Amino acid sequence: QVQLVESGGGLVQAGGSLRLSCAASGRTFSSYTMGWFRQAPGKEREFVAAIRWSGGITYNADSVKGRFTISRDNAKNTVSLQMNSLKPEDTAVYYCAASTSVALTQSEYDYWGQGTQVTVSS
């Protein structure tokens, strides 16, 4: 069982930066692939980024490549999403998720956080 709690969301102007964090409970955190997803108003939830258990392999959606960076600290049971050069279209609720597989789709994730709102003003 893994419990996830996101933090770090807020309001930022276009071009600005935010850093999201996700704190995980559970002794086996280091064995999970961790991912970030987002859901904008009126849209389906979509994949943003993921990181394998070792931290050495990451995946990013095309829409965020070069702007967002996912990282993890297994000693602290945390995963972060550094978001730079934010755009209004990045506005969404961002969710942290955990999977026992190499997961790039929502159905592969077993545990989800409650989400944190990110709003980017133009």
Side-chain angles (χ1 to χ4, degrees), residues 3-106:
Q3 293 184 328
L4 305 171
V5 179
E6 303 97 334
S7 61
L11 173 64
V12 64
Q13 290 187 332
S17 298
L18 279 176
R19 186 177 181 87
L20 305 183
S21 294
C22 175
S25 64
R27 294 177 296 175
T28 59
F29 170 80
S30 61
S31 66
Y32 286 87
T33 292
M34 299 300 297
W36 287 96
F37 289 78
R38 67 186 182 186
Q39 186 167 20
K43 296 186 177 181
E44 294 186 352
R45 188 157 55 185
E46 64 176 4
F47 171 78
V48 175
I51 186 166
R52 295 286 298 277
W53 67 272
S54 66
I57 300 176
T58 61
Y59 309 88
N60 294 278
D62 289 342
S63 58
V64 305
K65 282 181 180 177
R67 301 188 299 122
F68 291 11
T69 301
I70 188 171
S71 61
R72 69 189 295 163
D73 186 335
N74 288 338
K76 296 182 179 180
N77 281 11
T78 59
V79 60
S80 299
L81 185 68
Q82 178 66 43
M83 305 186 295
N84 299 327
S85 302
L86 282 161
K87 305 175 181 180
E89 51 264 43
D90 294 318
T91 295
V93 177
Y94 283 71
Y95 298 90
C96 172
S99 172
T100 56
S101 64
V102 179
L104 300 182
T105 60
Q106 296 183 57

